[in-house]
Amino acid sequence: MKTWIANLIDEELLSATISHETNAEFIDRLCGLCLDEIEAQKGFSPFGFGESVIEEITAEVTEIFRMKTYGFYNLSMYRQHHLRRRVS
């Protein structure tokens, strides 16, 4: 699951569709995308464990996001840095 989340984050980090996102908004949006994909794949959790699944996905997305953006103050600075590198 971590590999799938990491690939999703890689795709979305440099996405130009939402350029003024905070770290928390980005993490929430990615968690929503993960949950949507799980639902589309007909994935279910046992009754009473839905909150645990959401917490685990949030923790995984947050951990991977922090690893990917390590060394940058926030998502905006990460995107600006990589945009400058693309233009150069």
Side-chain angles (χ1 to χ4, degrees):
M1 185 157 168
K2 274 191 175 186
T3 304
W4 174 68
I5 292 173
N7 291 337
L8 185 60
I9 288 175
D10 283 339
E11 290 174 15
E12 296 296 323
L13 274 174
L14 300 176
S15 174
T17 56
I18 303 174
S19 61
H20 298 294
E21 240 176 348
T22 66
N23 291 359
E25 291 170 341
F26 180 81
I27 290 169
D28 287 344
R29 183 169 65 84
L30 265 284
C31 289
L33 290 173
C34 290
L35 291 170
D36 290 345
E37 183 63 28
I38 290 170
E39 185 179 338
Q41 302 264 338
K42 304 285 188 228
F44 297 100
S45 66
F47 184 73
F49 288 95
E51 189 65 35
S52 296
V53 170
I54 293 170
E55 289 173 4
E56 184 176 339
I57 289 172
T58 302
E60 294 288 334
V61 169
T62 302
E63 178 187 349
I64 295 168
F65 171 76
R66 287 181 180 158
M67 285 191 288
K68 297 278 186 182
T69 59
Y70 182 79
F72 294 93
Y73 183 68
N74 58 26
L75 178 61
S76 178
M77 291 184 79
Y78 177 89
R79 286 178 170 166
Q80 288 174 7
H81 172 78
H82 285 283
L83 181 62
R84 278 189 238 132
R85 280 184 52 193
R86 260 197 243 166
V87 172
S88 299

